[in-house]
Amino acid sequence: YRFADSNTWGTFWSASARWNINNEEFMKGVDFVDVLKLRVSYGTAGNQRINGGTYFTTPDATRSLFATGTGYGGANSVFLSQIGNNTLRWETVATTNLGLDFELFDSKLRGSVDVYNRETTDLFQDTPISAINGATFIRANTGSLTNKGVDFNLNYDVVRSLKPGDLNINVSLVGNYNSIELQDLPNPDGEILGIGRNGGKLFEYYNVRYAGVNPANGNLLFLDADGNLTENPDPDADRVWSDKNIIPDMNGSFGLNIDYKNFFLQTQFNYVIGVDRFDNDLAGFQDYTSAGQFRNSRDLLRAWTPNNRVTDIPRADTALQTFANTDRYLRDADFLRLRFLSFGYSVPKNVLKDTGISNARVFVNGENLVTFTEWRGFDAEADSNTSRIYPTPRTISLGLELSL
């Protein structure tokens, strides 16, 4: 319905093929290969939820709208509030995928690897226009976004039991590597602040570069646009693209599962690599002006003084403590977290005979037990640059599971 006045219908299609390589004549002598399948596919899909949110978000972008309010001289006025675009259409996502499924060594090693290229065209964006039109932007389909990456999924039976109750050990690994590139942004210089630049990452940061603390006087040091040290950067002209954003380059999980004599142990570790966020929690803890009102970090004890000149904490009364648009608190937010651990015991069937209970398990579960990261804010996993976000809780539970 978002395109009721423009392009209501879209046509999308897909095709795929698979080759069962292990069934070929030339594979008959390869005993360690149990399954080997090559997959290839190409297809397009449409996206009509162009502005995210709910199904009712942005229902009228094809229409010009007017609003009432206070105009010149305080007089009641009717003015243009939105310029409609009657050429709006579906975003199109075209995906090429090449995949390999395999099982080796009597299926002890199992997995799949997929390489993909996903290009989104006709991106829905706010395109800047001259304010002489009564508005500063018009919503339009413009630009493209390319995702290239690899998905992989591996399982290996380290120890496989020969009879019930014997030892089983299995390890697993799941991951995704993805790179994002913007193209065809609707701006003469190919850049839109808050979105990115042509050839760059989506939501790439654009900031003044922080360079440390001046040992001579304790003031903060920055780099200007040309890479020269300065204590007084231009908050606009000295900003540069950082090649960093909040979207991870790689993420996934791995786990260890063990079964022995009705006891079981299950674990899952999650990892995220290549994500950068502003640690505004740390910025608050290192803010001198909040002393006496909020909690502060002991980092302030190593602040610059005439007797402590080589440090990363500036002089207490230095200017630019809260200077905006710098990457001083832009930090690596990579982490490894023990997401889930479960240890328990399954009651043997013969013990449950004639009780009316078919299965019984007792277990203890732990969630988010430990996190390894250099992030100093409340939670490395948060997907936002805001501060004081309630962190992911650590949870321990004891359970009894019965089947009747």
Side-chain angles (χ1 to χ4, degrees), residues 221-236:
L221 287 173
F222 303 91
L223 297 178
D224 63 18
D226 297 321
N228 302 310
L229 285 173
T230 177
E231 292 184 1
N232 299 287
D234 187 308
D236 185 32

Side-chain angles (χ1 to χ4, degrees), residues 47 91-94 118-124 143-147:
N47 175 35
E91 288 184 347
T92 300
V93 183
R118 184 177 300 118
E119 183 176 5
T120 304
T121 55
D122 293 333
L123 282 174
F124 178 79
S144 63
L145 177 68
T146 300
N147 286 266

Side-chain angles (χ1 to χ4, degrees), residues 128-300:
I129 59 175
S130 172
I132 197 173
N133 295 285
T136 57
F137 67 87
I138 183 172
R139 292 183 162 177
N141 296 95
T142 181
S144 63
L145 177 68
T146 300
N147 286 266
K148 298 179 181 179
V150 179
D151 289 317
F152 56 89
N153 182 1
L154 300 173
N155 279 274
Y156 182 64
D157 296 329
V158 180
V159 177
R160 183 185 290 175
S161 65
L162 299 177
K163 60 181 180 180
D166 284 355
L167 179 65
N168 284 294
I169 301 177
N170 172 268
V171 292
S172 61
L173 173 65
V174 177
N176 166 264
Y177 172 79
N178 186 74
S179 66
I180 306 175
E181 182 178 306
L182 284 166
Q183 291 293 344
D184 306 319
L185 288 175
N187 224 20
D189 57 3
E191 301 176 353
I192 297 180
L193 300 187
I195 296 178
R197 53 176 170 159
N198 286 335
K201 297 180 177 181
L202 180 66
F203 305 135
E204 183 179 356
Y205 298 121
Y206 186 63
N207 299 101
V208 175
R209 292 166 291 178
Y210 171 65
V213 175
N214 190 338
N217 56 21
N219 290 338
L220 293 173
L221 287 173
F222 303 91
L223 297 178
D224 63 18
D226 297 321
N228 302 310
L229 285 173
T230 177
E231 292 184 1
N232 299 287
D234 187 308
D236 185 32
D238 287 331
R239 289 190 290 176
V240 298
W241 294 102
S242 64
D243 197 35
K244 297 179 180 180
N245 66 359
I246 199 172
I247 303 172
D249 296 327
M250 188 172 183
N251 64 88
S253 66
F254 60 88
L256 169 68
N257 296 324
I258 301 176
D259 293 298
Y260 181 68
K261 301 292 186 183
N262 296 319
F263 289 95
F264 60 87
L265 174 69
Q266 300 174 344
T267 66
Q268 179 183 320
F269 290 83
N270 285 13
Y271 62 88
V272 171
I273 300 172
V275 59
D276 295 279
R277 292 171 46 214
F278 283 95
D279 195 344
N280 289 308
D281 291 321
L282 179 60
F285 294 143
Q286 293 183 349
D287 182 4
Y288 294 102
T289 63
S290 67
Q293 183 178 10
F294 298 104
R295 297 188 64 177
N296 289 100
S297 170
R298 288 190 177 91
D299 294 347
L300 299 182

